Amino acid sequence: MRVLSLLASAAALIAVPAAAMQHDGHAGHAAAKSGDAIAAAVAAPTRTPANVARDTYRHPAETLAFFGVKPGDTVVELWPGGGWYTEILAPLTKTGGGTLYAVAPWERGLNRIKEWQGAKPDVYGAVKLAEFPNAGANPKVPDGSADVVLTFRNVHNWRSGGAENTANAFRQIFAMLKPGGTLGVAEHRLNESDDSAKEEKSGYLKESTVIALAEAAGFKLAGRSEINANPKDTKDYPKGVWTLPPSLTEGETDRAKYVAIGESDRMTLKFVKPAS
């Protein structure tokens, strides 16, 4: 049987055109190089130790690889907050000759990044800052300039601002991407069978909700991953997703229980802007 299997494998290789094999080889080599660069950025000594400790929940190397992020890309990080992913994306794009935009409400949403730029210009000095959603008066990401736009646990915040606010956010994301560009979304995930009313205040959203929002802006779903799934998350807490780490809004009440659950169950969705 082993001989037959080897013969079948050899026949399959012969049947593949040489040009296709060469293309696959180049693609595999490029993917491997990107993976190495992402791994190096995740291991960067400039990362905050407390942030590194959360890699076990956020799987940054696998997540960025799934989204197809390359070190030479123009990458937009939406609402970076405390800069958890910025600590990885800044060295990644710097060493790879890419460009990183950090974009958020102007200017309060960018204060942490601005502090870092002053304190560590060698790491964060090249990060470009822009307003998002953009109202017209402040810097913006130029239309059609981004290879990848990334948002981590932000869609529920936009949605809390209303339907039009959310639709506008997705329209602006669509505009800033190049044709064929990628939108990567990680978001707290509500079960599809749960009451949709839970989406209003819990911090969790259904995958179907996020997909519908993206598709309404013109995106096409390109893939889903369970990289950031957490089956221990019961999603039934009176204070919503913020009950779990890192917020732990219940304080010392049942703290050990929530720490044992870990961070939330998350969807990881990849969308593309159609090339034409």
Side-chain angles (χ1 to χ4, degrees), residues 127-162:
V127 178
K128 297 186 177 183
L129 307 180
E131 182 181 49
F132 177 82
N134 189 271
N138 297 309
K140 63 174 288 187
V141 178
D143 289 352
S145 65
D147 296 292
V148 183
V149 175
L150 302 172
T151 178
F152 302 101
R153 306 168 310 284
N154 289 316
V155 181
H156 67 279
N157 291 316
W158 307 337
R159 194 175 186 280
S160 68

Side-chain angles (χ1 to χ4, degrees), residues 28-127:
H29 181 65
K33 287 186 67 176
S34 293
D36 290 345
I38 291 171
V42 169
T46 50
R47 293 186 67 203
T48 308
N51 285 348
V52 174
R54 290 158 69 184
D55 286 1
T56 186
Y57 302 117
R58 299 191 171 186
H59 312 99
E62 298 89 342
T63 300
L64 294 177
F66 174 70
F67 290 148
V69 178
K70 299 184 291 297
D73 283 344
T74 293
V75 180
V76 178
E77 183 185 6
L78 305 177
W79 288 25
W84 197 92
Y85 259 99
T86 314
E87 286 191 340
I88 298 169
L89 294 169
L92 176 66
T93 52
K94 180 183 178 183
T95 58
T99 300
L100 175 62
Y101 281 89
V103 304
W106 196 264
E107 299 181 19
R108 61 182 174 82
L110 297 167
N111 285 341
R112 174 64 62 86
I113 308 304
K114 291 173 70 176
E115 290 174 7
W116 287 359
Q117 288 184 319
K120 299 179 180 179
D122 55 323
V123 181
Y124 302 105
V127 178

